Amino acid sequence: YCDLQIPKLKTMSDIVNILQLDRCGVIETVFDLYSIEVEGVPIKIPKTFEEKVSNWLGGDKDLIKQSRNQKVIQITNRLSGETTHYNPLRAKRPGSQAQQSRDFVDKIIEESKASCDLCKAENFTAEETWGRIRTPKCITAANMFKVSGPNNGLVISRTHHLLELGPEELKAC
């Protein structure tokens, strides 16, 4: 008798557990078709950024702990070469999917200047364990909700209004 029911995937440990199951050769077939890698490296979260991260993650201590050492699953189809990345914590990141007019965007950017985390990147962005790269026009940060691993991050302009970036800012980064 083969039980082909697949458990729900809610946490990284669920994914690890399912990859260790063998349901009538199904998992063996999965590994024949797909390459599955789990990657990640620790990041540092400045004390000044911890409260914001905690709020994003609903104060869940397990999620906060996971955020410091995120694992990203990369699944590659061995036949087509297609690749996808999965990080359960990315669903918790802030942001809106709505599209707005340029006037609306300009207004929001101006209103956000005083409280902009990226303008205070040293205090309000995560840092790779090896540090940051700093130039007069930009600074790097670790991606708080990683897309792929082991390292991926951000290059943050020191110009608040990103729609006003020009050749000089881009060359200097």
Side-chain angles (χ1 to χ4, degrees):
Y1 168 73
C2 291
D3 178 8
L4 294 177
Q5 256 185 329
I6 304 289
K8 290 193 177 197
L9 304 178
K10 293 182 183 174
T11 67
M12 189 61 70
S13 58
D14 292 338
I15 293 166
V16 170
N17 289 339
I18 196 170
L19 292 177
Q20 295 171 351
L21 296 175
D22 189 359
R23 307 266 172 112
C24 305
V26 171
I27 297 302
E28 184 178 320
T29 302
V30 167
F31 284 114
D32 287 342
L33 296 174
Y34 298 96
S35 163
I36 302 172
E37 299 172 53
V38 178
E39 300 175 326
V41 295
I43 58 174
K44 294 190 289 187
I45 303 171
K47 290 278 184 209
T48 50
F49 191 38
E50 285 179 349
E51 183 179 344
K52 190 166 282 203
V53 172
S54 178
N55 288 339
W56 289 339
L57 300 174
D60 185 315
K61 297 212 182 295
D62 185 49
L63 290 177
I64 294 166
K65 182 179 175 187
Q66 286 179 40
S67 75
R68 294 179 190 281
N69 192 16
Q70 294 176 50
K71 301 296 183 196
V72 177
I73 300 167
Q74 177 178 308
I75 302 171
T76 303
N77 183 314
R78 294 181 191 271
L79 300 175
S80 69
E82 292 172 287
T83 299
T84 190
H85 297 90
Y86 175 68
N87 177 351
L89 287 176
R90 281 192 65 80
K92 302 288 185 182
R93 74 190 194 282
S96 170
Q97 303 301 316
Q99 291 188 359
Q100 305 294 338
S101 71
R102 172 66 192 249
D103 289 339
F104 180 80
V105 171
D106 287 342
K107 180 179 180 235
I108 295 297
I109 289 172
E110 186 56 37
E111 290 172 355
S112 69
K113 193 170 188 174
S115 62
C116 177
D117 290 348
L118 299 181
C119 287
K120 301 173 199 115
E122 297 272 358
N123 295 322
F124 291 104
T125 63
E127 177 181 351
E128 297 291 354
T129 54
W130 48 261
R132 298 179 188 269
I133 299 170
R134 295 169 181 84
T135 75
K137 300 284 186 182
C138 65
I139 185 170
T140 63
N143 191 340
M144 188 61 229
F145 298 99
K146 294 184 176 293
V147 177
S148 65
N151 294 307
N152 69 91
L154 306 124
V155 176
I156 302 169
S157 170
R158 295 190 191 269
T159 301
H160 175 71
H161 198 308
L162 292 179
L163 300 178
E164 294 176 359
L165 287 175
E168 290 303 312
E169 288 84 7
L170 296 175
K171 279 195 293 189
C173 286

